[in-house]
Amino acid sequence: MIPVTKPYLPSQQKLKDYIDSIYERQWLTNNGVLVQELTQRLEAYLGVENLLLVSNGTLALQVAYRSLDIAESNRAATPEAITTPFTFIATASSLKWEGVQPIFADIDSNTWCIDPEKIEAAITPNSRAIVPVHVFGNACDVEAIDRVAARHKLKIVYDASHAFGVRFRNQSLLNYGDASTLSFHATKLFHTIEGGAIVFKRKEDHQRATKLINFGITGPDSIGELGINAKMNEFQAAMGLCVLDEIESNVTARSLVSRHYDKHLPLCVERQQWNMEANSNHAYLPVVFESQAQALAVLHRLSEAGVTARRYFYPSLDQAELEMGTGQTMPVSRDIASRILCLPIYAALKPAELSLITDLVKEVVAS
Ligand SMILES: *Cc1c(COP(=O)(O)O)cnc(C)c1O
């Protein structure tokens, strides 16, 4: 059995040592020493400031919207945020959960990221924010998005769940927007089992979010505003510290897997057009086939051989069973979603397994 991904399991001994230290301190959560240490080490590793660890990537999005006053509205009308239909459900559902209506803007057919020109067309008097996704870790057109946001006084929250460690023009991609959110779910490149983070542009927003994730408590006897519980605990941070120690070798191993695919996938399959000024973190291996029928044939053939590929992201969120209530149709996103498969990528994938996969893909595509 070859899964589409495997959670990265770091040195068990190192994790045990961290857990021993947790037992000694008997400090399990509420900004413990390991959470503080992981915060500092992530800020240094990623090249960012104002990083706040939270309990998962979905709450990272929700707390970011709240911290930036996207969710709260004094106006009678429902606030709106413009986002991409080609993403994991949490990008749009987190908006809806916070009472913000997602409005889709279609993606670029080559980069599969939100198309800045289509953002502009989706703006209404109720628009409050843009929520783009660096999909599969591919940097969005951040400068064009900045210009649109500035022209229309909109906030930007990047869902950077896939973009751990991605650098754009020699600085962290996470430094763009008013905030960027990360998911540290077990299946992500860097993980804390469950977990996430928000990187804020401004210190004030970070300070506010620090209180929001702890029920809005501002002091021993005071609750400043409506908050929630979104704190990361010490066991999550211990896993994160161990995974971070091994991140370089993990990414290197994955880059070799990527290289195999680059060399051996048939030329007729479409690959994501990468932002030339950003690096890749090799988090995913998406491939677009010539038709939905061909993608499904590949999925089936791989599955017969014990290989799991995933239709990721399918369906496009404008055609999902869970209605986002936009009534929109996004032709580019639907087209890509219908033909895409994510192929297996993880550090422990062996050359023989990789050859099996690419041989099977070639066989189906040639037939
Ligand atoms: C994984 C993911 C999330 C949700 O993160 P969780 O940590 O699982 O809550 C949100 N957006 C995108 C694009 C994701 O891939």
Side-chain angles (χ1 to χ4, degrees):
M1 256 297 295
I2 302 175
V4 71
T5 188
K6 266 190 188 170
Y8 186 85
L9 289 170
S11 156
Q12 202 169 351
Q13 186 54 51
K14 194 179 275 179
L15 185 62
K16 280 179 180 153
D17 292 344
Y18 275 118
I19 290 172
D20 288 348
S21 81
I22 298 172
Y23 269 71
E24 276 163 33
R25 279 188 298 276
Q26 301 183 27
W27 184 358
L28 304 187
T29 186
N30 288 62
N31 200 30
V33 285
L34 297 184
V35 164
Q36 293 174 35
E37 187 181 333
L38 183 60
T39 303
Q40 283 164 12
R41 283 194 46 200
L42 284 174
E43 285 185 344
Y45 178 77
L46 297 170
V48 300
E49 288 175 4
N50 305 321
L51 181 145
L52 181 66
L53 290 172
V54 295
S55 44
N56 62 61
T58 305
L59 278 164
L61 286 163
Q62 290 173 226
V63 170
Y65 308 147
R66 291 264 173 177
S67 308
L68 298 168
D69 284 322
I70 293 163
E72 293 294 321
S73 179
N74 299 321
R75 289 178 267 175
T78 305
E80 296 174 356
I82 295 149
T83 190
T84 168
F86 188 68
T87 180
F88 184 57
I89 181 66
T91 315
S93 63
S94 60
L95 284 166
K96 199 89 176 160
W97 193 268
E98 291 296 337
V100 180
Q101 178 59 48
I103 302 291
F104 295 126
D106 211 346
I107 55 170
D108 179 276
S109 61
N110 298 309
T111 67
W112 313 339
C113 291
I114 197 166
D115 182 338
E117 283 178 20
K118 290 178 183 155
I119 295 176
E120 195 119 40
I123 293 171
T124 77
N126 300 324
S127 303
R128 303 287 284 272
I130 307 170
V131 182
V133 178
H134 302 300
V135 73
F136 304 128
N138 193 21
C140 291
D141 189 345
V142 286
E143 289 182 331
I145 294 171
D146 267 349
R147 286 193 292 272
V148 176
R151 254 198 308 277
H152 299 275
K153 298 196 163 53
L154 302 175
K155 298 276 171 63
I156 307 172
V157 176
Y158 282 105
D159 182 341
S161 293
H162 302 167
F164 186 87
V166 174
R167 296 179 72 79
F168 173 76
R169 292 200 188 143
N170 273 325
Q171 67 153 312
S172 175
L173 181 60
L174 306 171
N175 288 329
Y176 284 82
D178 298 280
S180 291
T181 68
L182 291 161
S183 164
F184 300 155
H185 182 258
T187 54
K188 301 298 206 278
L189 175 63
F190 169 82
H191 78 91
T192 59
I193 309 169
E194 292 271 2
I198 316 168
V199 174
F200 288 99
K201 176 166 281 168
R202 286 172 294 272
K203 185 149 261 109
E204 313 87 81
D205 297 331
H206 174 272
Q207 277 166 353
R208 183 175 181 197
T210 304
K211 298 181 184 92
L212 289 182
I213 65 165
N214 189 30
F215 311 100
I217 293 171
T218 46
D221 306 309
S222 62
I223 297 146
E225 65 174 318
L226 184 68
I228 195 159
N229 180 3
K231 302 184 300 292
M232 179 176 279
N233 69 50
E234 289 292 273
F235 288 82
Q236 289 171 291
M239 178 60 96
L241 286 163
C242 296
V243 175
L244 189 57
D245 276 343
E246 298 172 25
I247 192 81
E248 298 284 347
S249 62
N250 183 9
V251 172
T252 303
R254 299 173 79 107
S255 75
L256 297 177
V257 171
S258 286
R259 197 180 301 168
H260 173 97
Y261 281 115
D262 293 346
K263 245 168 101 178
H264 295 283
L265 277 173
L267 288 173
C268 61
V269 303
E270 281 173 52
R271 306 294 301 276
Q272 188 173 23
Q273 183 186 307
W274 209 256
N275 187 321
M276 292 295 288
E277 295 178 288
N279 65 304
S280 168
N281 60 7
H282 307 288
Y284 298 90
L285 208 298
V287 174
V288 168
F289 294 90
E290 115 197 334
S291 64
Q292 172 160 273
Q294 192 177 70
L296 293 176
V298 171
L299 186 71
H300 184 70
R301 186 71 193 88
L302 290 173
S303 155
E304 281 176 343
V307 178
T308 307
R310 290 266 322 265
R311 300 190 81 191
Y312 201 60
F313 296 101
Y314 177 86
S316 174
L317 294 182
D318 60 302
Q319 59 181 155
E321 194 184 340
L322 171 67
E323 262 292 323
M324 284 294 146
T326 72
Q328 294 171 287
T329 299
M330 299 283 119
V332 182
S333 177
R334 286 188 182 197
D335 174 48
I336 298 295
S338 70
R339 298 187 285 129
I340 201 165
L341 292 181
C342 279
L343 300 178
I345 183 167
Y346 49 89
L349 201 54
K350 297 185 190 77
E353 295 172 321
L354 273 167
S355 299
L356 168 72
I357 297 166
T358 45
D359 286 351
L360 289 170
V361 171
K362 274 187 222 159
E363 185 188 303
V364 176
V365 166
S367 68

